[in-house]
Amino acid sequence: MGFWKTFFGGEEEKPEEEKKNAEAKNFDLLKYDGVKAMRIGQFDYAERCFSEALKIQDDLEVHDYLSQTLIRLGRLDEALAELKLMADAQPDNVGVLLQAAHVAYMQEDYDEMQSLCEQALALDGDNAMAHYLMAQAVLGKDDLVNGVARLTKAITLNEQLGDARLLRARTLLKMGDINGAQEDVDWLLAHTDEHEDVLLMAARVAHAKGLDDEAINIYNKVTDLNPFQLDAYRERGKIRFDRGDKQGAEEDMQKVLELNPSEMADVSGDYSAEGVEQAVKRAYSNMNPLGL
């Protein structure tokens, strides 16, 4: 075989080259099989493909795919490790740092999240998303004042950042600044289609202002949009209970228990038995009236 290759001008392929070619082929097969598996939700198989591919070749794109897969598998420590490896390899990549910060947020590791955001802001101090994530980090540590300041900075840099406005409204309401929360809610209502999170915030602000009829009407819109929205039933039931509407409160609590039976183990689901009023009273007694 080698004679004929030489005779017709070819060169016999060396064993090392054959090995490299085989490895390259296997790497591509594993990488793209992993991508296909990830797209159809077969995350266990995708993780195996990407891990085996990385044994053949260290590739940042595969590390990225692996991090996404690990997140979907709930293996957040490993996902964060992959993202930090990518950040070390690309020290100017703000996007990777923000992805890592988001994973730290999912872990409720606010110190790690803040550190990653600081690195991102050192590279791009005008990155609105970095300020927003920093706000989430400091709010996670109950630093409300700095949280609002970061959210305001994020909104100044990108006025269309609705998530920042929603979080600022929630934080301002928690701080007792009802008018400030109302301003953000008004903007969100004017610039977004009906969205259950925005409507929930609007209902909470209305309730804080003493406009309970308006609040109940908004909660009704939320349950129409999403019949499985537990917070809407819970918070509407609290208002009804406080207003003396025992039947309405019981109906909302029954819905909460139907949707999430384990949420309130001390409340009987049998609303036809004695003690219904006391059961509902226990359910609502410790609940924050603003859903916060």
Side-chain angles (χ1 to χ4, degrees):
M1 183 71 176
F3 167 78
W4 291 109
K5 278 191 174 184
T6 302
F7 184 82
F8 289 108
E11 293 184 6
E12 185 175 3
E13 194 169 35
K14 298 178 182 178
E16 290 182 6
E17 292 176 349
E18 290 181 355
K19 182 180 178 182
K20 286 180 180 179
N21 289 336
E23 287 180 345
K25 183 177 180 180
N26 289 336
F27 173 82
D28 287 339
L29 287 172
L30 287 165
K31 177 179 178 179
Y32 292 110
D33 276 358
V35 171
K36 290 178 185 177
M38 186 173 65
R39 288 175 178 168
I40 62 175
Q42 295 181 353
F43 297 108
D44 286 319
Y45 180 70
E47 187 271 333
R48 290 197 296 273
C49 287
F50 295 139
S51 295
E52 290 301 318
L54 288 171
K55 291 178 182 178
I56 298 172
Q57 179 181 326
D58 192 28
D59 182 89
L60 289 179
E61 187 178 13
V62 175
H63 281 292
D64 188 17
Y65 288 138
L66 179 58
S67 71
Q68 296 175 47
T69 301
L70 291 168
I71 290 170
R72 299 300 294 269
L73 290 170
R75 291 158 58 180
L76 299 180
D77 285 337
E78 295 172 71
L80 185 57
E82 291 295 323
L83 288 165
K84 291 173 89 171
L85 182 152
M86 293 167 60
D88 288 341
Q90 300 173 307
D92 295 331
N93 192 326
V94 174
V96 171
L97 289 168
L98 297 184
Q99 288 180 54
H102 180 67
V103 173
Y105 177 71
M106 295 169 68
Q107 294 179 299
E108 299 184 3
D109 187 346
Y110 301 117
D111 288 329
E112 179 70 34
M113 185 181 186
Q114 184 170 352
S115 175
L116 290 162
C117 288
E118 287 170 350
Q119 294 176 56
L121 287 167
L123 294 169
D124 182 3
D126 291 331
N127 188 298
M129 186 56 67
H131 285 284
Y132 170 64
L133 290 170
M134 177 68 87
Q136 289 184 309
V138 297
L139 288 172
K141 298 194 287 186
D142 293 322
D143 187 350
L144 303 186
V145 173
N146 282 328
V148 169
R150 288 288 182 178
L151 290 168
T152 301
K153 179 67 174 178
I155 293 165
T156 300
L157 291 166
N158 180 4
E159 65 176 9
Q160 301 301 316
L161 196 56
D163 286 342
R165 289 184 185 271
L166 185 62
L167 182 55
R168 186 171 68 176
R170 180 182 177 89
T171 306
L172 289 172
L173 187 60
K174 188 174 183 180
M175 296 170 72
D177 185 356
I178 300 173
N179 291 331
Q182 182 73 68
E183 289 180 8
D184 278 329
V185 167
D186 287 344
W187 188 96
L188 288 164
L189 290 172
H191 290 82
T192 61
D193 293 331
E194 287 193 342
H195 188 285
E196 64 184 80
D197 290 336
V198 174
L199 290 172
L200 274 174
M201 198 68 244
R204 291 164 182 167
V205 171
H207 176 52
K209 296 171 73 174
L211 305 174
D212 285 345
D213 287 336
E214 181 179 339
I216 288 176
N217 286 334
I218 298 172
Y219 282 123
N220 293 343
K221 289 183 180 180
V222 176
T223 57
D224 287 342
L225 281 172
N226 180 5
F228 304 98
Q229 180 36 269
L230 280 170
D231 287 337
Y233 292 112
R234 191 185 301 111
E235 293 167 26
R236 184 177 65 186
K238 170 65 173 173
I239 295 174
R240 287 173 165 174
F241 178 78
D242 289 342
R243 299 177 76 180
D245 180 4
K246 186 181 78 170
Q247 180 178 349
E250 290 171 6
E251 289 173 356
D252 280 331
M253 183 53 60
Q254 180 69 61
K255 195 67 178 178
V256 170
L257 293 171
E258 287 175 3
L259 294 172
N260 188 14
S262 64
E263 183 169 316
M264 299 181 186
D266 62 327
V267 180
S268 171
D270 182 4
Y271 283 94
S272 64
E274 285 186 359
V276 168
E277 185 173 355
Q278 291 302 315
V280 175
K281 185 176 181 179
R282 285 198 307 275
Y284 289 122
S285 61
N286 296 322
M287 179 180 159
N288 187 301
L290 302 178
L292 303 173

